[in-house]
């Protein structure tokens, strides 16, 4: 059994706490590795290494720091297949999805190559008589990030790329369910020329997270994961005086207007609802057709498409649409919620419960499900299922459909499918959700925009990546200066030469 490590001060280091968690191969259900779970002493050691390394890194000029990111991009491209394979093996997603996970993180690294431009300060000449004023952005010192299992490459890169290029040292606490790719990324960063101690990976669970939240040296904490943990980390981190940004769960609605191209909408729902087994924070989990006729036609188009979906292990190649979910516990939770949907009166139009893959009986595969006639009071509507389960909530009018997205406590992403520009514009302006798609089902902003939801999908003020990241990982210092004048009237120089 492989024993994974931490990555501290440029070296793989075995865990010393004596506690481990299982890392599964989700396709077979086998335990393939043990992940060490750090205690507070191990976290403290990482912080000490980070503190020792950070001042020299902050003193490296931004252009040179950006060059490390350039080289890192080259190495990510060189190792893309290796990274994708390691990612699929622990997460279960298909190889193209895994490569996409790396690619979307890589794009944030590319954006960070612009650090010299993005870190440039502001300057006001002659703010008063003989007075100039300038602002600069300085690194925070030691930053930490806690990331979820579902994007083990992209989300760590969302955080550590801007943190590091701004001159911070970064401690990553990745998900204990798929920690191998984060360890590989740390190695690649050092191969790209990053000094040791600037990126460290400390594996663990709540104990390691609490050690971050209570460590007096750590200045900022980034978190992405489920809403209850986001709320806990935000509250605890803020009360300990840290800068904190937390991104939580989602329940993304797609409104389908009667004038929409229903084939396009159905195709979009297949990708957005079932892709990556529904384990995406930007997955569409609720379809809201407007009008019964639209709903009936949409269901008619969805059913054969869902029945054609191929579910299998990543090793089966490109024909597979989605793989297993991450753990047996995740699978059991999805099955429990499906049963709740049936018990509470939703119509199970496509029943994935009997799905069974020959040769992979112990894998964590979940067949695709489609519920119709879901209502606002049902648990499958209120809760995030995070599995291949799409719920259809029928709305009579556009206002009712908009109201559903507005009233849900989550506000990560949403989409509208229509040919009516006015309806699309109204929706984008009024809906209280952070990321909106117009005939685009998964409207994930690119690296140079910012990513973030509203309502219970986020805690904190600044979004991920884009210009917000450079604000989050720096603090502003503003200097007001006046120099005694050495120039006499007539232009003569007044100062005595230095002795
Ligand atoms: P999770 O909340 O279980 O875990 C996230 C991180 O928190 C992990 O590193 C984990 O070790 C740690 N953690 C777990 N329990 C903890 C506890 N009690 N105290 C302290 N730390 C704890 O989330 P997950 O299952 O890994 O990821 C799926 C969730 O993440 C979904 O809810 C999904 O919507 C959300 N997500 C959100 C975004 C976003 O940008 N909003 C992106 C991706 C995933």
């Amino acid at each position: 059994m492989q024993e994974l490590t931490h990555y501290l001060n440029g070296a793989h280091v075995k865990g010393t706490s004596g506690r481990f968690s299982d890392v599964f191969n989700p396709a077979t259900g086998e335990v393939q590795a043990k992940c060490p779970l750090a205690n507070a002493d191990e976290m403290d050691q990482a912080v000490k290494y980070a503190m020792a390394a950070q001042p020299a890194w902050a003193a490296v000029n931004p252009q040179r720091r950006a060059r490390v990111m350039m080289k890192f991009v080259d190495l990510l491209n060189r190792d893309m297949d290796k990274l994708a394979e390691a990612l699929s093996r622990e997460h279960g997603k298909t190889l193209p999805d895994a490569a996409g996970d790396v690619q979307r993180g890589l794009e944030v690294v590319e954006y960070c190559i612009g650090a010299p431009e993005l870190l440039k300060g502001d300057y006001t000449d002659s703010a008063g008589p003989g007075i100039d004023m300038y602002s600069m952005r300085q690194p925070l010192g030691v930053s930490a990030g806690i990331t979820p299992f579902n994007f083990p490459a992209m989300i760590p890169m969302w955080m550590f790329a801007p943190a590091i290029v701004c001159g911070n040292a970064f401690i990553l606490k990745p998900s204990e369910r798929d920690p191998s790719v984060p360890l590989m990324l740390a190695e690649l960063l050092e191969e790209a020329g990053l000094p040791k101690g600037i990126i460290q990976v400390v594996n663990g669970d709540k104990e390691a997270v609490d050690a971050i939240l209570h460590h007096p040296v750590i200045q900022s904490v980034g978190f992405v994961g489920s809403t209850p943990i986001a709320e806990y980390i935000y509250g605890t981190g803020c009360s300990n005086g840290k800068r904190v940004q937390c991104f939580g769960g989602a329940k993304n609605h797609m409104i389908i207007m009667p004038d929409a191209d229903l084939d396009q909408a159905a195709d979009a729902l297949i990708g957005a609802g079932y892709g990556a087994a529904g384990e995406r924070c930007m997955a569409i989990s609720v379809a809201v057709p407007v009008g019964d006729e639209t709903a009936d036609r949409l269901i008619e188009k969805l059913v054969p498409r869902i029945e054609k979906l191929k579910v299998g292990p990543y090793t089966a190649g490109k024909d597979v649409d989605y793989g297993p979910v991450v753990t047996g516990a995740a699978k059991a939770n999805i099955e429990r919620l499906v049963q709740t949907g049936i018990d509470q009166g939703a119509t199970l139009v496509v029943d994935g419960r009997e799905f069974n893959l020959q040769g992979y009986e112990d894998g964590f595969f979940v067949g695709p499900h489609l519920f119709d006639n879901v209502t606002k009071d049902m648990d499958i509507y209120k809760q995030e299922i995070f599995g291949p389960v799409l719920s259809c909530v029928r709305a009579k009018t556009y206002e009712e459909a908009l109201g559903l997205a507005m009233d849900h406590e989550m506000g990560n992403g949403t989409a509208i499918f229509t040919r009516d520009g006015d309806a699309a514009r109204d929706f984008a302006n009024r809906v209280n959700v952070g990321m909106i798609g117009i005939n685009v089902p998964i409207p994930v902003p690119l690296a140079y925009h910012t990513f973030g939801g509203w309502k219970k999908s986020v805690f904190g003020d600044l979004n991920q990546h884009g210009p917000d990241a450079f604000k989050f990982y720096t603090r502003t210092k503003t200097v007001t200066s006046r120099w005694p004048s050495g120039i006499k009237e007539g232009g003569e120089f007044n100062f005595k030469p230095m002795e």
Side-chain angles (χ1 to χ4, degrees):
M1 172 81 52
Q2 190 192 3
E3 184 179 320
L4 297 172
T5 58
H6 306 297
Y7 192 77
L8 302 182
N9 207 30
H12 286 277
V13 174
K14 281 191 164 195
T16 55
S17 72
R19 291 197 311 124
F20 293 88
S21 66
D22 291 335
V23 179
F24 294 94
N25 177 341
T28 62
E30 286 160 358
V31 177
Q32 56 178 329
K34 295 266 174 207
C35 174
L37 303 175
N39 58 27
D41 289 343
E42 290 167 292
M43 188 59 74
D44 185 53
Q45 185 58 63
V47 174
K48 288 196 171 99
Y49 290 137
M51 280 168 73
Q54 190 267 336
W57 175 241
V60 170
N61 74 52
Q63 204 155 4
R64 285 177 190 271
R65 295 202 300 258
R67 279 189 202 131
V68 172
M69 293 294 152
M70 280 187 219
K71 179 76 180 152
F72 182 48
V73 167
D74 288 346
L75 299 178
L76 288 170
N77 279 316
R78 183 195 70 188
D79 287 0
M80 182 64 81
D81 292 347
K82 208 165 108 183
L83 289 161
E85 211 273 334
L87 200 156
S88 292
R89 198 169 354 111
E90 288 183 353
H91 178 287
K93 63 175 80 173
T94 64
L95 283 172
D97 260 354
D101 191 331
V102 180
Q103 176 64 29
R104 291 310 290 265
L106 180 155
E107 288 165 11
V108 173
V109 183
E110 284 174 336
Y111 176 74
C112 290
I113 292 169
E117 172 69 22
L118 291 158
L119 287 172
K120 257 186 353 201
D122 296 322
Y123 191 89
T124 302
D125 174 47
S126 300
I131 294 177
D132 303 320
M133 195 176 281
Y134 60 96
S135 300
M136 50 186 156
R137 310 204 69 94
Q138 295 193 326
L140 304 174
V142 181
S143 294
I146 300 149
T147 52
F149 81 86
N150 68 326
F151 282 97
M154 177 184 80
I155 294 178
M157 284 193 263
W158 278 0
M159 296 181 185
F160 70 59
I164 286 171
V165 88
C166 286
N168 299 286
F170 193 86
I171 297 174
L172 173 66
K173 204 304 285 171
S175 171
E176 63 276 40
R177 295 180 227 170
D178 46 12
S180 289
V181 168
L183 289 164
M184 292 163 79
L185 294 176
E187 277 177 29
L188 288 182
L189 268 172
E190 290 191 2
E191 189 181 339
L194 191 71
K196 60 184 186 176
I198 299 301
I199 177 78
Q200 297 181 95
V201 180
V202 180
N203 282 305
D205 57 2
K206 180 171 170 31
E207 196 173 330
V209 171
D210 285 339
I212 288 173
L213 295 175
H214 294 285
H215 202 295
V217 169
I218 295 176
Q219 298 294 306
S220 78
V221 180
F223 171 85
V224 178
S226 58
T227 288
I229 313 295
E231 210 160 0
Y232 165 71
I233 288 178
Y234 190 70
T236 314
C238 288
S239 66
N240 287 337
K242 301 187 191 312
R243 185 179 288 193
V244 191
Q245 57 172 188
C246 294
F247 298 79
K251 196 77 182 177
N252 304 321
H253 294 54
M254 181 167 130
I255 315 296
I256 302 102
M257 296 293 282
D259 66 345
D261 177 334
L262 286 190
D263 283 306
Q264 192 195 38
D267 286 341
L269 279 169
I270 296 298
Y274 301 96
E279 291 177 320
R280 290 183 183 135
C281 69
M282 288 295 278
I284 294 287
S285 48
V286 182
V288 189
V290 174
D292 273 334
E293 200 195 323
T294 315
D296 292 342
R297 284 169 54 219
L298 183 70
I299 297 279
E300 209 173 280
K301 287 184 184 291
L302 280 172
V303 171
R305 286 169 165 84
I306 296 170
E307 284 169 351
K308 266 194 225 129
L309 283 170
K310 290 208 183 67
V311 185
Y314 76 91
T315 44
K318 286 193 175 144
D319 286 344
V320 171
D321 292 301
Y322 72 82
V325 298
V326 68
T327 56
K331 178 177 170 167
N333 189 46
I334 296 163
E335 288 170 346
R336 179 186 64 77
L337 278 162
V338 166
Q339 190 55 48
T340 313
I342 298 165
D343 296 344
Q344 293 179 350
T347 314
L348 187 56
V349 181
V350 178
D351 184 352
R353 285 175 298 170
E354 296 305 314
F355 180 83
N356 194 8
L357 193 63
Q358 227 187 342
Y360 292 90
E361 286 78 5
D362 294 328
F364 310 136
F365 293 97
V366 180
H369 295 72
L370 175 66
F371 276 111
D372 194 4
N373 301 310
V374 174
T375 54
K376 276 173 83 167
D377 52 326
M378 293 179 184
D379 289 344
I380 54 168
Y381 178 71
K382 291 189 281 192
Q383 294 179 27
E384 185 179 34
I385 303 175
F386 227 53
V389 183
L390 181 65
S391 295
C392 180
V393 182
R394 293 170 175 238
K396 289 196 177 56
T397 61
Y398 163 70
E399 282 298 327
E400 189 187 336
L402 172 67
L404 282 164
M406 300 273 285
D407 292 346
H408 203 284
E409 64 170 0
M410 299 297 180
N412 214 36
T414 186
I416 185 166
F417 273 61
T418 181
R419 290 187 174 95
D420 180 349
D422 191 39
R425 199 167 168 273
D426 183 80
F427 183 72
N429 283 332
R430 284 169 67 198
V431 72
N432 54 0
V433 171
M435 293 170 281
I436 320 293
I438 297 174
N439 298 313
V440 171
I442 308 189
V444 176
L446 290 175
Y448 39 92
H449 288 264
T450 71
F451 180 109
W454 285 18
K455 298 185 278 183
K456 289 256 178 191
S457 296
V458 77
F459 300 84
D461 306 314
L462 291 168
N463 276 355
Q464 293 281 358
H465 60 69
D468 275 14
F470 281 73
K471 292 192 183 131
F472 185 74
Y473 288 110
T474 56
R475 49 170 73 95
T476 306
K477 186 181 272 178
T478 305
V479 180
T480 306
S481 69
R482 175 162 60 197
W483 292 93
S485 178
I487 305 165
K488 280 203 294 190
E489 240 175 90
E492 217 178 298
F493 195 60
N494 204 12
F495 282 132
K496 292 196 181 97
M498 296 241 302
E499 296 284 306

